[in-house]
Amino acid sequence: MSRVALSGVLLLAGVTACAAASLFNVAKVAVDVTAKDAVVARETGMAEAEMRAWDILVDRLVPPHARPRVQSFSHDEIQGLVAGVAIGKEEGSATRYVAVLDVRFDPNAVRRFLAGRSIPFGEDQASSISILPVVLQGDRVAHDAGARWRQAWERLDLANGVAPATLVAPREDLDARTVRDLQAGEESAYATLRSAYGYGGLVVAAGEAAGGVFKTHLAGEDAAGPIDAVVTSAFDRHDLDKTFDEAARGALATLETRWKQRLDMAVDEASAAIDQRGALFPDHGSEGAGAPLGRVGAIVEFRDVRDWQRIRFGLHRIAGLNDFAVETLGARAASVSFDFDGSADRLQALLAQNGVALYERDGRLVLRTR
């Protein structure tokens, strides 16, 4: 196969392979496509990369409880959400296209797309941690296998996810006993490792083949708190790279799910405090949705303090919206109540003019910035 492009070549203007980390950037998407000719193979590969990147983005943004509600979208539907594609590596032949691509999505377009379909999403990134990948073989740290295990982690997009991380390499003096002690919950072992590999959150991803499976023991502390989790995947002794790639993806997914579940708890706490009359179209008998809402409750989801203030200011600017009250306030969600003397459609339109989206989720009003 002949190389047709150099690493880092820009495909679309304004997008670089080393763009700033963002939830809406999906890096290191690998494709390998064979078609009738090079042009079709490349076009098909690009489309496949965008669809894979979209699935990764949805997994990042949509909370676990709502993920089953997301339908499958076609490439035509999501193509307009792509802001650009950067080529990290590209090779081709007369019928084959192999590449590693970075796909960048337009944040505002994605927000409108999801909100317009009443799909809940969040944009909260955890604070970055360090991950120390090691392979244990009995009572020793296997440095040769550990190098390939680390390479599997390097093939992941660690910078842009909801649980960003940087990799640290094991020192020559790292011994299996320290790792075992950490897995057993010894605080002194964690303190020793953290001082050796930098302060802040540190998770040791210790891989070990046992009983025909590859077991990844995650121990230490991530942004969601202390972690002691084991992830198992198939072990193929004839294809270690495949084994390590699948195991690393599963371990990273575990870290991301922990963070998203932590945020879900804040939303659940806010939801529990909302009056059941907070449905988008409350029961007004035969009058239906055109009737005044009256007193309603809502969930407000926000990314940070500034986002929360922006929504509050938007609500205060709405004519006919009175007696606004904050019932509960969490780190990323609040429950509020207010009176509105117009219909739900009217409130939705007025909020949109102030940059706030309004939709219904599970019978409750949900507000977020557009």
Side-chain angles (χ1 to χ4, degrees):
M1 181 178 294
S2 62
R3 182 173 292 276
V4 299
L6 297 177
S7 175
V9 171
L10 186 66
L11 176 63
L12 294 181
V15 183
T16 62
C18 56
S22 166
L23 283 175
F24 296 90
N25 296 343
V26 181
K28 303 180 181 179
V29 183
V31 292
D32 186 344
V33 175
T34 300
K36 64 179 182 180
D37 57 49
V39 174
V40 174
R42 192 172 192 272
E43 291 177 350
T44 303
M46 291 289 181
E48 184 176 306
E50 291 177 357
M51 290 301 296
R52 287 187 184 179
W54 170 252
D55 288 338
I56 293 171
L57 181 65
V58 168
D59 282 337
R60 286 178 183 173
L61 299 180
V62 177
H65 76 270
R67 188 64 178 87
R69 294 167 48 186
V70 181
Q71 68 184 66
S72 297
F73 297 105
S74 68
H75 182 249
D76 288 341
E77 288 177 290
I78 66 99
Q79 190 173 21
L81 308 178
V82 177
V85 179
I87 301 172
K89 183 177 68 174
E90 184 181 54
E91 296 180 350
S93 69
T95 58
R96 190 180 177 195
Y97 179 73
V98 180
V100 177
L101 307 171
D102 295 352
V103 182
R104 180 185 175 192
F105 291 91
D106 182 327
N108 290 327
V110 171
R111 294 179 188 120
R112 289 192 296 269
F113 184 88
L114 295 175
R117 290 159 179 76
S118 297
I119 298 173
F121 61 94
E123 300 178 39
D124 301 280
Q125 271 186 308
S127 56
S128 183
I129 63 168
S130 297
I131 295 177
L132 173 60
V134 299
V135 170
L136 298 181
Q137 291 180 345
D139 59 355
R140 71 185 186 91
V141 174
H143 289 281
D144 289 343
R148 297 178 70 177
W149 177 225
R150 176 186 170 84
Q151 289 167 3
W153 282 89
E154 289 173 343
R155 287 189 284 270
L156 298 175
D157 182 10
L158 296 177
N160 297 300
V162 296
T166 57
L167 296 180
V168 291
R171 293 165 38 161
E172 289 296 327
D173 60 354
L174 177 65
D175 62 273
R177 179 184 293 275
T178 303
V179 177
R180 300 288 190 195
D181 288 345
L182 172 66
Q183 294 172 343
E186 294 289 340
E187 293 184 6
S188 59
Y190 180 67
T192 298
L193 288 167
R194 192 171 62 173
S195 64
Y197 294 94
Y199 289 93
L202 171 68
V203 172
V204 176
E208 190 170 14
V213 300
F214 189 77
K215 179 177 66 175
T216 305
H217 194 153
L218 300 171
E221 185 176 3
D222 64 359
I227 180 172
D228 181 15
V230 175
V231 183
T232 59
S233 55
F235 177 70
D236 185 348
R237 67 177 63 254
H238 302 295
D239 193 344
L240 284 182
D241 286 342
K242 178 182 178 181
T243 295
F244 289 163
D245 283 343
E246 292 180 354
R249 283 196 297 268
L252 179 60
T254 297
L255 297 176
E256 293 179 333
T257 299
R258 278 170 51 83
W259 177 250
K260 289 193 289 186
Q261 287 176 337
R262 175 181 177 275
L263 298 177
D264 274 352
M265 292 175 60
V267 174
D268 290 343
E269 290 174 0
S271 300
I274 293 181
D275 183 72
Q276 288 298 322
R277 291 175 300 166
L280 185 57
F281 299 111
D283 183 10
H284 290 295
S286 61
E287 294 179 328
L293 287 178
R295 190 71 181 174
V296 295
I299 302 171
V300 178
E301 297 177 349
F302 48 89
R303 295 182 292 275
D304 49 35
V305 174
R306 181 177 298 178
D307 197 33
W308 161 240
Q309 292 174 339
R310 185 161 49 245
I311 296 174
R312 287 195 64 178
F313 292 153
L315 289 168
H316 286 304
R317 285 194 292 264
I318 301 298
L321 192 152
N322 303 301
D323 295 330
F324 177 83
V326 178
E327 309 293 346
T328 65
L329 178 61
R332 294 293 183 270
S335 61
V336 302
S337 60
F338 52 83
D339 290 318
F340 185 66
D341 56 13
S343 67
D345 290 340
R346 174 65 177 164
L347 177 60
Q348 198 168 41
L350 291 174
L351 285 170
Q353 295 173 11
N354 289 278
V356 179
L358 170 69
Y359 59 94
E360 183 180 10
R361 183 174 72 215
D362 300 330
R364 295 185 173 89
L365 289 173
V366 179
L367 297 89
R368 66 166 69 243
T369 51
R370 298 175 67 84

